[in-house]
Amino acid sequence: MSDQTAWGRGSRFLLTSGAFVVLVAGMREAAPIIVPFLLAIFLAIICGPAFFWLKKRGLPPFAAVMTVLLGVIGLELLLGAFVGSSIDTFIQNLPLYQQRLKEEATGLLAFLARFGVDIPRQQFLDFIDPGAVMRLVASMLTGFGGVLTNMFLILLTVIFMLLEAASFPAKLRAAFHNAEVPAGHLTRVAEGIKRYLAMKTLVSLGTGLAVTLWVALLGVDFPILWGLLAFLLNYVPNIGSIIAALPAVLLAFIQFGGLRALVVAAGYVLINVIFGNIIEPKVMGRGLGLSTLVVFVSLVFWGWILGPVGMLLSVPLTMTVKIALESGPDTRWIAVLLGEEPRESAVSDKKKARA
């Protein structure tokens, strides 16, 4: 009997692993379809409180949805117009930046030669490839406009989601005998995502404003663009702030040389330490319910599957998976492993309950 039980568990593990691999492969292939749908879900969750507030004030559901979406569209158009013009100007200046980067690299080689560090000029320039570096920066900036191409589909999906939100509890009660269980899990997911996105947005907004003021004070071109980049990439855990600092520091190096670039980099480090290590933990409470390792691995995992949008949504997606795993007794242990280190009081309470 024990051999049959072990065989059954092994077969179940293999089937589950195979299903997981097939699911991940399917999600990666279907990323162009999944990404707009996920963005629509998170946008609907963010817009939900405003929608229900307008409904309570007596506005019809369709009018409430259109009012919320008009605000979203207005903000998007304003943002898109500014970002588009800034990126166009940046790309126009790209040849000049490439030439300046090559000049600064040559000066750096001359500086190192004074200390006996002799590096062949052509090999060094081929290694850093100034043109490739600046094209990478330009492509990173242009990549943020890729999401806007699917915005019509996203907004249309948000409209239907918000209109369905009012009748969804009734559908759950009709579909399940004990509707409180699935409704409770969905509420936990929605509340967790709303809280995370609201708090993260406040911290990211402060980070973006601080970066804008800092680089503008130092005379770096496009300060609002770098502040916007810092705001957006602050949603990417662990490495987002580093990626956001690279183009601004590189541009400062091109414009003013190494000393000013170091000052810009020091400002980025100070801003991210203040907002990321001091303000954010206080604002967001004890934590996200996820371990630090899981946050980093989820960043790589969702980024590999869904691209840049997956990196932006890695934490909310992993939080959703963790809450879903907590709902089943067979998968609850995975949710525990994904979570933070248990408190001593919680561990002792469990031991007392078992005793």
Coordinates of all heavy atoms in Angstrom, one line a residue, residues 22-32 34 301 303-306:
V22 N 3.9 23.4 -19.3 CA 3.0 23.7 -20.4 C 2.3 25.0 -20.2 O 2.2 25.8 -21.1 CB 2.0 22.6 -20.6 CG1 0.9 23.0 -21.6 CG2 2.6 21.3 -21.0
L23 N 1.9 25.3 -19.0 CA 1.2 26.6 -18.7 C 2.2 27.8 -18.9 O 1.8 28.8 -19.5 CB 0.7 26.6 -17.2 CG 0.1 27.9 -16.7 CD1 -1.2 28.2 -17.5 CD2 -0.2 27.8 -15.2
V24 N 3.4 27.6 -18.4 CA 4.4 28.7 -18.5 C 4.8 28.9 -20.0 O 4.8 30.1 -20.5 CB 5.7 28.4 -17.7 CG1 6.8 29.4 -18.1 CG2 5.4 28.5 -16.2
A25 N 5.0 27.8 -20.8 CA 5.3 28.0 -22.2 C 4.1 28.6 -22.9 O 4.3 29.4 -23.8 CB 5.6 26.6 -22.8
G26 N 2.9 28.2 -22.6 CA 1.7 28.8 -23.2 C 1.6 30.3 -22.9 O 1.3 31.1 -23.8
M27 N 1.8 30.7 -21.7 CA 1.8 32.1 -21.3 C 2.8 32.9 -22.0 O 2.6 34.0 -22.5 CB 2.0 32.2 -19.8 CG 0.8 31.8 -19.0 SD 1.2 31.8 -17.2 CE 1.4 33.6 -17.0
R28 N 4.0 32.3 -22.2 CA 5.1 33.0 -22.9 C 4.7 33.2 -24.4 O 5.0 34.3 -24.9 CB 6.4 32.3 -22.8 CG 7.6 33.1 -23.1 CD 8.9 32.5 -22.6 NE 10.0 33.4 -22.7 CZ 10.9 33.3 -23.7 NH1 10.7 32.4 -24.7 NH2 11.9 34.1 -23.8
E29 N 4.2 32.2 -25.0 CA 3.8 32.4 -26.4 C 2.6 33.3 -26.6 O 2.5 34.0 -27.6 CB 3.4 31.0 -27.0 CG 4.6 30.1 -27.2 CD 5.6 30.6 -28.2 OE1 5.2 31.2 -29.2 OE2 6.8 30.5 -27.9
A30 N 1.7 33.3 -25.6 CA 0.5 34.2 -25.7 C 0.7 35.5 -25.0 O -0.3 36.2 -24.7 CB -0.7 33.4 -25.0
A31 N 1.9 35.9 -24.7 CA 2.2 37.2 -24.0 C 1.6 38.4 -24.7 O 1.0 39.3 -24.0 CB 3.7 37.4 -23.9
P32 N 1.6 38.5 -26.0 CA 0.9 39.7 -26.7 C -0.6 39.8 -26.4 O -1.1 40.9 -26.4 CB 1.1 39.4 -28.2 CG 2.4 38.6 -28.3 CD 2.3 37.7 -27.0
I34 N -2.0 38.2 -23.4 CA -2.1 38.2 -21.9 C -1.8 39.6 -21.4 O -2.4 40.1 -20.4 CB -1.2 37.1 -21.3 CG1 -1.7 35.8 -21.8 CG2 -1.2 37.2 -19.8 CD1 -0.8 34.6 -21.3
F301 N 11.3 35.9 -13.4 CA 10.3 35.0 -14.0 C 9.2 35.7 -14.8 O 9.1 35.4 -16.0 CB 9.6 34.2 -12.8 CG 8.6 33.2 -13.3 CD1 8.9 32.0 -13.9 CD2 7.2 33.5 -13.1 CE1 8.0 31.1 -14.3 CE2 6.3 32.6 -13.5 CZ 6.6 31.4 -14.1
G303 N 9.3 38.8 -15.9 CA 9.9 39.5 -17.0 C 10.3 38.6 -18.2 O 10.1 39.0 -19.3
W304 N 10.7 37.4 -17.9 CA 11.0 36.4 -18.9 C 9.7 36.0 -19.7 O 9.8 35.8 -20.9 CB 11.7 35.2 -18.4 CG 11.9 34.1 -19.3 CD1 12.8 34.2 -20.4 CD2 11.3 32.8 -19.4 NE1 12.8 33.0 -21.1 CE2 11.9 32.1 -20.5 CE3 10.4 32.2 -18.6 CZ2 11.5 30.8 -20.8 CZ3 10.0 30.9 -18.9 CH2 10.6 30.2 -20.0
I305 N 8.6 35.9 -19.0 CA 7.4 35.4 -19.6 C 6.7 36.6 -20.4 O 6.3 36.4 -21.5 CB 6.4 34.8 -18.6 CG1 7.0 33.5 -18.0 CG2 5.1 34.5 -19.2 CD1 6.2 32.9 -16.9
L306 N 6.5 37.7 -19.7 CA 5.7 38.8 -20.2 C 6.4 40.0 -20.7 O 5.8 41.0 -21.1 CB 4.6 39.2 -19.2 CG 3.7 38.0 -18.7 CD1 2.8 38.6 -17.5 CD2 2.9 37.5 -19.8

